[in-house]
Amino acid sequence: VAVAADGRYMVNKVPVAGRSVTDLAQAMAGGGAESVLIISADANASHQSVVTVMEAARRAGLVHITIATQSSAAATR
């Protein structure tokens, strides 16, 4: 799941129409409990936007969650 700075979401590179937990959970449904959810958030995205993704994942039955990170050297390029 990608989280844009303005709070928009994309699941598997497909834009999610809404921004609610329910909208996201529906977009994530069908992945299976063993799927790994990777959250990639813009540095300027709100903390709440990321928490919303985590709650949607819980509702969708996804239990393996990781957050993509970037080294500080790569971030300054």
Side-chain angles (χ1 to χ4, degrees):
V1 176
V3 183
D6 64 0
R8 289 176 293 121
Y9 300 103
M10 293 181 74
V11 175
N12 293 325
K13 298 183 182 181
V14 176
V16 176
R19 296 183 186 189
S20 72
V21 171
T22 301
D23 295 329
L24 278 168
Q26 289 174 348
M28 290 185 232
E34 294 304 314
S35 296
V36 176
L37 173 69
I38 300 170
I39 302 171
S40 178
D42 184 280
N44 294 315
S46 72
H47 179 77
Q48 181 59 57
S49 296
V50 175
V51 171
T52 297
V53 173
M54 295 170 74
E55 174 60 16
R58 185 190 66 78
R59 289 190 190 180
L62 301 172
V63 296
H64 303 288
I65 301 172
T66 188
I67 298 176
T69 60
Q70 186 176 49
S71 69
S72 57
T76 59
R77 289 185 197 156

